[in-house]
Amino acid sequence: MRWMWIDRFVEFERGKRARSIKNVSLAEEHLHDHFPGFPVMPNTLILEGLAQTGGILLGEVYDFEHVVVLAKVPKMTFHSWATPGDTLTYEAVLTDVRSEGGMVEVKATVGDRLVADGEIVFAHANESAVGGVKVDQRSFVFSMRLLGVLDVGKAGDGTNAAG
């Protein structure tokens, strides 16, 4: 099973920035225990949503030829929380791109309220780093088209929603 912590992209500017959303729902099992009586989206899953947004942004720069892995989180501050019914907006700005990886500045908001911000560093892993297994990064990211997560500005029938 692949865990996706973003529902769809709402903005994607190749090599520069991306914005995605995650609708927080009480239908998600993890919210029943975190915390009883006051369900909130765990910070680790908010971080994962930010990392998925930034990782796809970086991976797309090289047409998904590299395995993009989270290398470190040098800075992350959680300012607030997200509860069921909230829509988290994840923003990632590519600040450094190199052959060995890259870095993004990220921000998560609910409406105008800042939930988290920080930096995430990614590395390009070679096959030996992933146990000698040939990983087709393009297939991983685009399998099942991520349920349409990359269809920015498309209506449900695939036509351009803007016009």
Side-chain angles (χ1 to χ4, degrees), residues 100-143:
E100 61 270 9
M103 185 169 81
V104 293
E105 289 182 357
V106 294
K107 176 171 69 168
T109 56
V110 171
D112 292 333
R113 179 170 42 93
L114 181 62
V115 174
D117 63 345
E119 299 172 342
I120 300 174
V121 176
F122 297 96
H124 293 147
N126 60 31
E127 289 179 31
S128 64
V130 290
V133 177
K134 176 68 175 154
V135 178
D136 183 351
Q137 190 74 358
R138 176 176 275 284
S139 293
F140 174 77
V141 172
F142 289 107
S143 64

Side-chain angles (χ1 to χ4, degrees), residues 61-134:
V61 168
Y62 291 104
D63 200 28
F64 299 100
E65 292 177 9
H66 303 286
V67 177
V68 177
V69 296
L70 190 150
K72 69 180 177 176
V73 182
K75 180 174 82 170
M76 186 64 58
T77 304
F78 292 93
H79 303 275
S80 186
W81 56 82
T83 59
D86 287 341
T87 297
L88 275 163
T89 300
Y90 299 132
E91 297 180 33
V93 176
L94 204 48
T95 59
D96 188 23
V97 178
R98 300 174 185 209
S99 60
E100 61 270 9
M103 185 169 81
V104 293
E105 289 182 357
V106 294
K107 176 171 69 168
T109 56
V110 171
D112 292 333
R113 179 170 42 93
L114 181 62
V115 174
D117 63 345
E119 299 172 342
I120 300 174
V121 176
F122 297 96
H124 293 147
N126 60 31
E127 289 179 31
S128 64
V130 290
V133 177
K134 176 68 175 154

Side-chain angles (χ1 to χ4, degrees), residues 22-36:
K22 165 68 175 133
N23 294 304
V24 181
S25 167
L26 197 52
E28 299 172 69
E29 284 292 320
H30 57 275
L31 291 178
H32 293 265
D33 298 321
H34 194 268
F35 297 100

